[in-house]
Coordinates of all heavy atoms in Angstrom, one line a residue:
E1 N 137.1 69.3 61.0 CA 138.0 69.8 59.9 C 139.1 70.6 60.5 O 138.9 71.3 61.5 CB 137.2 70.8 59.0 CG 137.8 71.1 57.7 CD 136.9 71.8 56.7 OE1 135.7 71.4 56.6 OE2 137.4 72.8 56.1
K2 N 140.3 70.6 60.0 CA 141.5 71.2 60.4 C 141.4 72.8 60.1 O 141.4 73.1 58.9 CB 142.8 70.6 59.9 CG 144.0 71.3 60.6 CD 145.3 70.6 60.0 CE 146.5 71.2 60.6 NZ 147.7 70.7 60.0
G3 N 141.5 73.6 61.1 CA 141.5 75.1 61.0 C 143.0 75.5 60.9 O 143.9 74.8 61.4
D4 N 143.2 76.7 60.5 CA 144.5 77.4 60.5 C 144.7 78.2 61.8 O 143.9 79.1 62.0 CB 144.7 78.3 59.3 CG 146.0 78.9 59.1 OD1 146.8 78.9 60.1 OD2 146.3 79.4 58.0
I5 N 145.6 77.8 62.6 CA 145.7 78.4 63.9 C 146.0 80.0 63.8 O 145.6 80.8 64.6 CB 146.9 77.8 64.7 CG1 146.8 78.3 66.2 CG2 148.2 78.1 64.1 CD1 147.7 77.4 67.1
R6 N 146.5 80.3 62.6 CA 146.8 81.8 62.4 C 145.5 82.6 62.3 O 145.5 83.8 62.5 CB 147.6 82.0 61.2 CG 149.0 81.3 61.3 CD 149.9 81.5 60.1 NE 151.1 82.3 60.1 CZ 151.7 83.0 61.2 NH1 151.2 82.7 62.3 NH2 152.7 83.6 60.9
D7 N 144.4 81.9 62.0 CA 143.0 82.6 61.9 C 142.6 83.0 63.3 O 141.8 83.9 63.5 CB 142.1 81.7 61.3 CG 142.3 81.4 59.8 OD1 143.0 82.2 59.1 OD2 141.8 80.5 59.2
L8 N 143.2 82.4 64.3 CA 142.8 82.8 65.7 C 143.7 83.8 66.3 O 143.4 84.3 67.4 CB 142.9 81.5 66.6 CG 142.0 80.4 66.2 CD1 142.2 79.1 67.1 CD2 140.5 80.7 66.2
L9 N 144.8 84.3 65.7 CA 145.7 85.2 66.3 C 145.0 86.5 66.7 O 144.2 87.0 65.9 CB 146.8 85.5 65.2 CG 147.9 84.5 65.1 CD1 149.0 85.0 64.0 CD2 148.5 84.1 66.4
N10 N 145.3 87.0 67.9 CA 144.8 88.2 68.4 C 143.3 88.3 68.5 O 142.8 89.4 68.7 CB 145.4 89.4 67.6 CG 146.8 89.4 67.5 OD1 147.6 89.3 68.5 ND2 147.4 89.5 66.3
K11 N 142.7 87.1 68.7 CA 141.2 87.1 68.9 C 141.1 86.5 70.2 O 141.7 85.6 70.7 CB 140.5 86.2 67.9 CG 140.5 86.8 66.5 CD 139.8 85.9 65.5 CE 139.9 86.5 64.1 NZ 139.3 85.6 63.0
E12 N 140.0 86.9 71.0 CA 139.8 86.4 72.4 C 138.9 85.1 72.1 O 137.9 85.1 71.3 CB 138.9 87.4 73.1 CG 139.8 88.6 73.5 CD 139.0 89.6 74.4 OE1 137.8 89.6 74.4 OE2 139.7 90.2 75.2
I13 N 139.5 84.0 72.7 CA 138.9 82.7 72.5 C 138.7 82.0 73.8 O 139.4 82.4 74.8 CB 139.7 81.8 71.4 CG1 141.0 81.6 71.9 CG2 139.6 82.4 70.1 CD1 141.8 80.5 71.2
H14 N 138.0 80.8 73.8 CA 138.0 79.9 74.9 C 138.3 78.5 74.3 O 137.7 78.1 73.4 CB 136.5 79.8 75.5 CG 136.1 81.0 76.1 ND1 135.4 82.0 75.3 CD2 136.0 81.6 77.3 CE1 135.1 83.0 76.1 NE2 135.4 82.8 77.3
I15 N 139.4 77.9 74.9 CA 139.7 76.6 74.5 C 138.8 75.6 75.2 O 138.9 75.4 76.4 CB 141.2 76.3 74.9 CG1 142.1 77.2 73.9 CG2 141.6 74.9 74.5 CD1 143.6 77.2 74.2
A16 N 137.9 75.0 74.4 CA 137.0 74.1 75.0 C 137.5 72.8 75.4 O 137.2 72.2 76.5 CB 135.8 73.9 74.0
D17 N 138.5 72.2 74.6 CA 139.1 71.0 75.0 C 140.5 70.8 74.2 O 140.5 71.5 73.2 CB 138.2 69.7 74.6 CG 138.5 68.5 75.3 OD1 139.4 68.5 76.3 OD2 137.9 67.4 75.0
F18 N 141.2 70.0 74.7 CA 142.5 69.7 74.0 C 143.0 68.3 74.2 O 142.5 67.6 75.1 CB 143.5 70.8 74.4 CG 144.0 70.8 75.7 CD1 145.1 70.0 76.3 CD2 143.4 71.5 76.8 CE1 145.4 69.9 77.5 CE2 143.6 71.4 78.1 CZ 144.8 70.6 78.5
G19 N 144.0 67.9 73.4 CA 144.6 66.7 73.5 C 146.0 66.7 73.0 O 146.4 67.8 72.5
F20 N 146.7 65.6 73.0 CA 148.1 65.6 72.5 C 148.2 64.4 71.5 O 147.7 63.4 71.7 CB 149.0 65.3 73.7 CG 149.0 66.5 74.7 CD1 148.2 66.3 75.9 CD2 149.6 67.7 74.5 CE1 148.1 67.3 76.8 CE2 149.5 68.7 75.4 CZ 148.7 68.5 76.6
I21 N 149.0 64.7 70.5 CA 149.2 63.7 69.4 C 150.8 63.6 69.2 O 151.4 64.7 69.2 CB 148.5 64.2 68.1 CG1 147.0 64.1 68.3 CG2 148.9 63.2 67.0 CD1 146.2 64.6 67.1
R22 N 151.2 62.5 68.9 CA 152.6 62.3 68.6 C 152.8 62.3 67.2 O 152.2 61.5 66.4 CB 153.2 61.0 69.2 CG 154.7 60.8 69.0 CD 155.3 59.9 70.0 NE 155.2 60.3 71.3 CZ 155.9 61.2 72.0 NH1 156.8 61.9 71.5 NH2 155.6 61.4 73.2
G23 N 153.7 63.2 66.6 CA 153.9 63.3 65.2 C 155.4 63.0 64.9 O 156.1 62.6 65.8
D24 N 155.8 63.2 63.7 CA 157.1 62.9 63.3 C 158.2 63.7 64.0 O 159.3 63.3 64.2 CB 157.3 63.2 61.7 CG 156.5 62.1 61.0 OD1 156.2 61.1 61.4 OD2 156.3 62.5 59.8
N25 N 157.8 64.9 64.4 CA 158.7 65.8 65.1 C 158.4 65.9 66.6 O 158.7 67.0 67.2 CB 158.7 67.2 64.5 CG 159.1 67.2 63.0 OD1 160.0 66.5 62.7 ND2 158.4 67.9 62.2
G26 N 157.8 65.0 67.1 CA 157.5 64.9 68.6 C 156.0 65.2 68.8 O 155.2 65.1 67.9
E27 N 155.6 65.4 70.1 CA 154.3 65.6 70.5 C 153.8 67.1 70.3 O 154.6 68.0 70.6 CB 154.2 65.2 72.0 CG 152.8 65.1 72.4 CD 152.8 64.6 73.8 OE1 153.2 65.2 74.8 OE2 152.2 63.5 74.0
Y28 N 152.6 67.2 69.9 CA 152.0 68.5 69.7 C 150.6 68.5 70.2 O 150.0 67.4 70.4 CB 152.2 69.1 68.4 CG 151.4 68.3 67.3 CD1 150.1 68.5 66.9 CD2 152.0 67.1 66.6 CE1 149.4 67.8 66.0 CE2 151.4 66.4 65.8 CZ 150.1 66.7 65.3 OH 149.4 66.0 64.5
S29 N 150.0 69.7 70.5 CA 148.6 69.6 71.0 C 147.6 70.0 69.9 O 148.0 70.6 68.8 CB 148.4 70.8 72.1 OG 148.8 71.9 71.6
V30 N 146.4 69.5 70.1 CA 145.4 69.7 69.2 C 144.2 70.3 70.1 O 143.9 69.7 71.2 CB 144.9 68.5 68.5 CG1 143.7 68.7 67.6 CG2 146.0 67.9 67.7
F31 N 143.5 71.3 69.7 CA 142.4 71.9 70.5 C 141.2 72.4 69.7 O 141.4 72.6 68.5 CB 143.0 73.0 71.4 CG 143.5 74.2 70.6 CD1 142.5 75.3 70.4 CD2 144.7 74.4 70.1 CE1 143.0 76.4 69.7 CE2 145.1 75.5 69.5 CZ 144.3 76.5 69.2
I32 N 140.1 72.5 70.4 CA 138.9 73.2 69.8 C 138.6 74.3 70.7 O 138.9 74.4 71.8 CB 137.8 72.1 69.7 CG1 137.5 71.5 71.0 CG2 138.1 70.9 68.7 CD1 136.2 70.6 71.1
T33 N 137.8 75.2 70.0 CA 137.5 76.4 70.8 C 135.9 76.5 70.9 O 135.2 75.8 70.1 CB 137.8 77.7 70.0 OG1 137.2 77.8 68.8 CG2 139.4 77.7 69.8
K34 N 135.4 77.1 71.9 CA 134.0 77.4 72.1 C 133.3 78.1 70.9 O 132.2 78.0 70.5 CB 133.7 78.0 73.4 CG 133.7 77.3 74.6 CD 133.3 78.2 75.8 CE 133.2 77.4 77.0 NZ 132.7 78.3 78.1
E35 N 134.2 79.0 70.4 CA 133.7 80.0 69.3 C 133.7 79.3 67.9 O 132.9 79.8 67.0 CB 134.7 81.2 69.2 CG 134.7 82.1 70.4 CD 135.4 81.5 71.6 OE1 136.2 80.5 71.5 OE2 135.2 82.1 72.7
D36 N 134.3 78.1 67.8 CA 134.2 77.4 66.4 C 134.2 76.0 66.7 O 135.2 75.3 66.8 CB 135.6 77.8 65.7 CG 135.6 77.2 64.3 OD1 134.7 76.5 63.9 OD2 136.7 77.4 63.6
D37 N 133.0 75.4 66.6 CA 132.8 74.0 66.8 C 132.9 73.2 65.6 O 132.8 71.9 65.5 CB 131.4 73.7 67.5 CG 130.3 74.1 66.5 OD1 130.5 74.7 65.5 OD2 129.2 73.9 67.0
K38 N 133.3 73.7 64.5 CA 133.5 73.0 63.2 C 135.0 72.7 62.9 O 135.2 71.9 62.0 CB 132.9 73.8 62.0 CG 131.5 73.9 62.1 CD 131.0 74.7 60.9 CE 129.5 75.0 60.8 NZ 128.6 74.8 61.9
N39 N 135.9 73.2 63.6 CA 137.3 73.1 63.3 C 138.1 72.7 64.5 O 137.7 73.0 65.7 CB 137.9 74.4 62.8 CG 137.4 74.7 61.4 OD1 137.5 73.9 60.4 ND2 136.8 75.9 61.3
F40 N 139.2 72.0 64.3 CA 140.2 71.7 65.3 C 141.5 72.4 64.9 O 141.7 72.7 63.7 CB 140.4 70.3 65.7 CG 141.0 69.6 64.5 CD1 142.3 69.3 64.3 CD2 140.2 69.0 63.5 CE1 143.0 68.7 63.3 CE2 140.7 68.3 62.4 CZ 142.2 68.0 62.3
Y41 N 142.4 72.7 65.8 CA 143.6 73.4 65.6 C 144.8 72.7 66.1 O 144.8 72.3 67.3 CB 143.5 74.9 66.1 CG 142.4 75.6 65.5 CD1 141.2 75.7 66.1 CD2 142.5 76.4 64.4 CE1 140.1 76.4 65.6 CE2 141.5 77.1 63.8 CZ 140.3 77.1 64.4 OH 139.3 77.8 63.8
C42 N 145.9 72.6 65.4 CA 147.1 72.0 65.8 C 148.1 73.2 66.2 O 148.2 74.2 65.6 CB 147.8 71.3 64.6 SG 146.8 69.9 64.1
A43 N 148.7 72.9 67.4 CA 149.5 74.0 68.0 C 151.0 73.6 68.0 O 151.3 72.4 68.1 CB 149.1 74.3 69.4
G44 N 151.9 74.6 68.1 CA 153.3 74.4 68.2 C 153.8 74.2 69.6 O 153.0 73.9 70.5
M45 N 155.0 74.3 69.8 CA 155.7 73.9 71.0 C 155.3 74.8 72.1 O 155.0 74.3 73.2 CB 157.2 73.9 70.8 CG 157.9 73.3 72.0 SD 159.7 73.1 71.8 CE 160.3 74.5 70.8
A46 N 155.2 76.1 72.0 CA 154.9 76.9 73.1 C 153.5 76.7 73.6 O 153.3 76.6 74.8 CB 155.1 78.4 72.7
V47 N 152.5 76.6 72.7 CA 151.1 76.4 73.2 C 151.0 75.0 73.7 O 150.3 74.8 74.7 CB 150.2 76.6 71.9 CG1 148.8 76.2 72.3 CG2 150.2 78.0 71.4
T48 N 151.6 74.0 73.1 CA 151.6 72.7 73.6 C 152.1 72.6 75.0 O 151.6 71.9 76.0 CB 152.5 71.7 72.7 OG1 151.8 71.7 71.5 CG2 152.5 70.3 73.3
E49 N 153.3 73.3 75.4 CA 153.9 73.3 76.7 C 153.0 73.9 77.6 O 152.7 73.4 78.8 CB 155.1 74.0 76.7 CG 155.9 74.0 78.0 CD 156.2 72.6 78.6 OE1 156.3 71.7 77.7 OE2 156.3 72.6 79.9
T50 N 152.2 75.1 77.3 CA 151.3 75.7 78.2 C 150.2 74.8 78.5 O 149.7 74.7 79.7 CB 150.8 77.0 77.5 OG1 151.9 77.9 77.3 CG2 149.8 77.7 78.4
L51 N 149.6 74.1 77.5 CA 148.5 73.2 77.8 C 148.9 72.0 78.6 O 148.1 71.5 79.5 CB 147.9 72.8 76.4 CG 147.2 73.8 75.6 CD1 146.8 73.3 74.2 CD2 146.0 74.5 76.3
R52 N 150.2 71.5 78.4 CA 150.7 70.4 79.4 C 150.7 70.9 80.7 O 150.4 70.2 81.6 CB 152.0 69.9 78.8 CG 152.6 68.9 79.7 CD 153.7 68.0 79.1 NE 153.4 67.6 77.7 CZ 152.5 66.7 77.5 NH1 151.8 66.1 78.3 NH2 152.3 66.2 76.2
I53 N 151.2 72.0 81.0 CA 151.3 72.7 82.4 C 149.8 72.8 83.0 O 149.7 72.4 84.0 CB 151.9 74.0 82.3 CG1 153.4 73.8 82.0 CG2 151.8 74.8 83.6 CD1 154.2 75.2 81.7
I54 N 148.9 73.2 82.2 CA 147.5 73.3 82.7 C 147.0 71.9 83.0 O 146.4 71.7 84.0 CB 146.6 73.9 81.6 CG1 147.0 75.4 81.6 CG2 145.1 73.8 81.9 CD1 146.4 76.2 80.3
K55 N 147.2 70.8 82.1 CA 146.8 69.5 82.4 C 147.4 69.0 83.6 O 146.8 68.4 84.5 CB 147.1 68.7 81.1 CG 146.8 67.2 81.4 CD 147.3 66.4 80.1 CE 147.2 65.0 80.4 NZ 148.3 64.3 81.0
D56 N 148.8 69.1 83.7 CA 149.5 68.5 84.9 C 149.1 69.2 86.2 O 149.2 68.6 87.2 CB 151.1 68.7 84.6 CG 151.5 67.7 83.5 OD1 150.8 66.9 83.1 OD2 152.7 67.9 83.0
A57 N 148.7 70.4 86.1 CA 148.4 71.2 87.4 C 146.9 70.8 87.8 O 146.3 71.3 88.7 CB 148.4 72.7 87.1
G58 N 146.2 70.0 86.9 CA 144.8 69.6 87.3 C 143.8 70.7 86.9 O 142.8 70.7 87.5
K59 N 144.2 71.6 86.1 CA 143.3 72.8 85.8 C 142.6 72.6 84.4 O 142.0 73.6 84.0 CB 144.1 74.1 85.8 CG 144.8 74.3 87.0 CD 143.9 74.7 88.2 CE 144.8 75.1 89.4 NZ 143.9 75.4 90.5
R60 N 142.6 71.5 83.9 CA 142.1 71.3 82.5 C 140.6 71.6 82.5 O 140.1 72.3 81.5 CB 142.2 69.8 82.2 CG 141.7 69.4 80.8 CD 141.7 68.0 80.6 NE 141.5 67.8 79.1 CZ 142.4 67.2 78.3 NH1 143.6 66.7 78.8 NH2 142.1 67.0 77.1
N61 N 139.8 71.3 83.5 CA 138.4 71.6 83.5 C 138.0 73.1 83.6 O 136.9 73.4 83.3 CB 137.6 70.7 84.6 CG 137.7 69.3 84.3 OD1 137.9 68.9 83.3 ND2 137.6 68.5 85.4
E62 N 139.0 73.9 84.1 CA 138.7 75.3 84.2 C 139.0 76.1 83.0 O 138.6 77.2 82.8 CB 139.6 75.9 85.4 CG 139.4 75.3 86.8 CD 140.3 75.7 87.8 OE1 141.0 76.7 87.7 OE2 140.5 74.9 88.8
L63 N 139.8 75.5 82.1 CA 140.3 76.2 80.9 C 139.1 76.6 80.0 O 139.1 77.8 79.6 CB 141.2 75.3 80.0 CG 141.8 75.9 78.9 CD1 142.7 77.2 79.3 CD2 142.8 75.0 78.2
P64 N 138.0 75.9 79.7 CA 136.9 76.4 78.9 C 136.2 77.7 79.3 O 135.7 78.5 78.6 CB 135.9 75.3 78.9 CG 136.7 74.1 79.2 CD 137.7 74.5 80.1
D65 N 136.4 78.0 80.7 CA 135.8 79.3 81.3 C 136.7 80.4 81.2 O 136.5 81.6 81.5 CB 135.3 79.0 82.7 CG 134.2 78.0 82.7 OD1 133.4 78.0 81.8 OD2 134.2 77.2 83.7
Q66 N 138.0 80.1 80.8 CA 139.2 81.1 80.8 C 139.3 81.8 79.4 O 139.6 81.1 78.4 CB 140.5 80.4 81.2 CG 141.6 81.4 81.4 CD 141.5 82.2 82.6 OE1 141.1 81.8 83.6 NE2 141.9 83.5 82.4
L67 N 139.2 83.0 79.4 CA 139.3 83.8 78.1 C 140.8 83.9 77.9 O 141.6 84.1 78.7 CB 138.7 85.2 78.2 CG 138.6 86.0 77.0 CD1 137.6 85.4 76.0 CD2 138.1 87.4 77.3
C68 N 141.2 83.5 76.6 CA 142.6 83.7 76.3 C 142.8 84.2 74.9 O 141.7 84.4 74.2 CB 143.3 82.3 76.4 SG 142.7 81.0 75.2
K69 N 144.0 84.4 74.5 CA 144.4 85.0 73.2 C 145.6 84.3 72.7 O 146.6 84.3 73.5 CB 144.6 86.5 73.3 CG 144.6 87.2 71.9 CD 145.0 88.7 72.1 CE 143.9 89.5 72.7 NZ 144.2 90.9 72.7
L70 N 145.7 83.9 71.4 CA 146.9 83.4 70.8 C 147.6 84.6 70.1 O 147.0 85.4 69.4 CB 146.6 82.4 69.7 CG 145.8 81.1 70.2 CD1 145.4 80.2 69.1 CD2 146.8 80.4 71.2
V71 N 148.8 84.8 70.4 CA 149.6 85.9 70.0 C 150.9 85.3 69.4 O 151.5 84.4 69.8 CB 149.9 87.0 71.0 CG1 148.6 87.6 71.4 CG2 150.6 86.4 72.2
E72 N 151.3 86.1 68.3 CA 152.7 85.8 67.7 C 153.8 86.6 68.3 O 153.5 87.8 68.5 CB 152.6 85.9 66.2 CG 153.8 85.4 65.5 CD 153.6 85.5 64.0 OE1 153.6 86.6 63.4 OE2 153.7 84.4 63.4
V73 N 154.8 86.0 68.9 CA 155.8 86.7 69.5 C 157.2 86.3 68.7 O 157.2 85.3 67.9 CB 156.0 86.4 71.0 CG1 154.8 87.0 71.7 CG2 156.1 84.9 71.3
Q74 N 158.2 87.0 68.9 CA 159.5 86.9 68.3 C 160.6 86.5 69.4 O 160.7 87.2 70.4 CB 159.9 88.1 67.6 CG 161.1 87.8 66.6 CD 161.3 88.9 65.6 OE1 160.4 89.5 65.0 NE2 162.5 89.3 65.4
S75 N 161.3 85.4 69.2 CA 162.3 85.0 70.1 C 163.6 85.9 70.0 O 163.6 86.8 69.0 CB 162.7 83.6 69.8 OG 163.4 83.5 68.6
K76 N 164.5 85.7 70.8 CA 165.8 86.5 70.8 C 166.5 86.2 69.4 O 167.2 87.1 68.9 CB 166.7 86.1 72.0 CG 166.2 86.5 73.2 CD 167.0 86.0 74.3 CE 166.4 86.1 75.6 NZ 167.2 85.5 76.7
N77 N 166.3 85.0 68.8 CA 166.9 84.6 67.7 C 166.1 85.1 66.4 O 166.3 84.6 65.3 CB 167.0 83.1 67.5 CG 167.9 82.5 68.6 OD1 168.5 83.3 69.4 ND2 167.8 81.2 68.8
K78 N 165.1 86.0 66.6 CA 164.3 86.5 65.6 C 163.4 85.5 64.9 O 162.8 85.6 63.8 CB 165.1 87.1 64.4 CG 166.1 88.1 64.9 CD 165.5 89.5 65.3 CE 166.5 90.5 65.6 NZ 166.1 91.5 66.6
R79 N 163.1 84.4 65.6 CA 162.2 83.4 65.2 C 160.8 83.6 65.8 O 160.7 83.9 67.0 CB 162.7 82.0 65.7 CG 162.0 80.9 65.1 CD 162.7 79.5 65.4 NE 161.9 78.5 65.0 CZ 161.6 77.5 65.8 NH1 162.2 77.3 66.9 NH2 160.8 76.4 65.4
K80 N 159.8 83.6 64.9 CA 158.4 83.9 65.3 C 157.7 82.6 65.8 O 157.9 81.5 65.2 CB 157.6 84.5 64.2 CG 158.1 85.9 63.9 CD 157.3 86.5 62.8 CE 157.7 87.9 62.5 NZ 156.9 88.6 61.5
Y81 N 156.9 82.7 66.9 CA 156.1 81.6 67.3 C 154.9 82.0 68.0 O 154.8 83.1 68.3 CB 157.0 80.6 68.2 CG 157.4 81.2 69.6 CD1 156.6 81.2 70.7 CD2 158.6 82.0 69.6 CE1 157.0 81.8 72.0 CE2 159.0 82.6 70.8 CZ 158.3 82.5 71.9 OH 158.6 83.1 73.1
I82 N 154.0 81.1 68.2 CA 152.7 81.5 68.8 C 152.6 81.0 70.2 O 153.0 79.8 70.4 CB 151.5 80.8 67.9 CG1 151.4 81.5 66.6 CG2 150.1 81.1 68.6 CD1 150.5 80.8 65.5
T83 N 152.1 81.8 71.0 CA 151.9 81.4 72.5 C 150.5 81.9 72.9 O 149.8 82.6 72.2 CB 153.1 82.1 73.3 OG1 152.9 81.6 74.7 CG2 152.9 83.6 73.3
I84 N 150.1 81.6 74.1 CA 148.8 81.9 74.7 C 149.0 83.0 75.8 O 149.8 82.9 76.5 CB 148.2 80.7 75.4 CG1 148.0 79.5 74.5 CG2 146.8 81.1 76.0 CD1 147.4 78.3 75.0
E85 N 148.1 84.0 75.8 CA 148.1 85.0 76.8 C 146.7 84.8 77.5 O 145.7 84.6 76.8 CB 148.1 86.4 76.3 CG 149.5 86.8 75.7 CD 149.5 88.2 75.2 OE1 148.5 88.9 75.1 OE2 150.6 88.7 74.9
F86 N 146.8 84.9 78.8 CA 145.5 84.8 79.6 C 145.2 86.1 80.2 O 146.1 87.0 80.5 CB 145.6 83.8 80.7 CG 145.7 82.4 80.1 CD1 147.0 81.7 80.0 CD2 144.5 81.6 79.8 CE1 147.0 80.5 79.5 CE2 144.7 80.3 79.3 CZ 145.9 79.8 79.1

């Protein structure tokens, strides 16, 4: 079932696995957490880029053991978006 990524904001989580899907507006990531095995979450550009860097660096298998937090930040243009903090 699709979860609301905003429900994860400011909570410590472990991303158990992730993948990439191509949508109408480009590619985005989809992930599941260790803490919630009933839902998957769709992420925006910033989270997708971070997960792509992790995948390309060959660190994908280390991610489930890494505690992280999704946080909302504001760009210089006053636009809000969600990113990952480790």
Side-chain angles (χ1 to χ4, degrees):
E1 196 170 317
K2 183 178 179 185
D4 184 346
I5 195 168
R6 295 179 113 11
D7 292 341
L8 301 178
L9 285 178
N10 302 310
K11 294 180 182 173
E12 293 183 333
I13 61 168
H14 296 87
I15 295 177
D17 198 10
F18 65 90
F20 300 97
I21 295 177
R22 184 158 304 279
D24 293 338
N25 296 321
E27 192 172 62
Y28 63 94
S29 59
V30 176
F31 65 90
I32 57 173
T33 68
K34 282 185 174 182
E35 293 76 13
D36 178 6
D37 62 356
K38 294 182 179 10
N39 292 300
F40 66 90
Y41 299 91
C42 298
M45 189 169 42
V47 172
T48 297
E49 182 60 26
T50 300
L51 294 176
R52 178 160 312 291
I53 290 167
I54 290 167
K55 177 183 169 274
D56 291 349
K59 304 288 185 183
R60 181 186 195 120
N61 293 338
E62 297 173 25
L63 189 58
D65 297 324
Q66 182 72 40
L67 193 62
C68 64
K69 189 187 296 187
L70 296 174
V71 294
E72 189 172 65
V73 295
Q74 190 168 321
S75 71
K76 295 175 189 173
N77 300 349
K78 307 284 187 214
R79 188 169 168 227
K80 293 182 180 181
Y81 63 94
I82 296 173
T83 190
I84 301 177
E85 288 182 353
F86 293 96

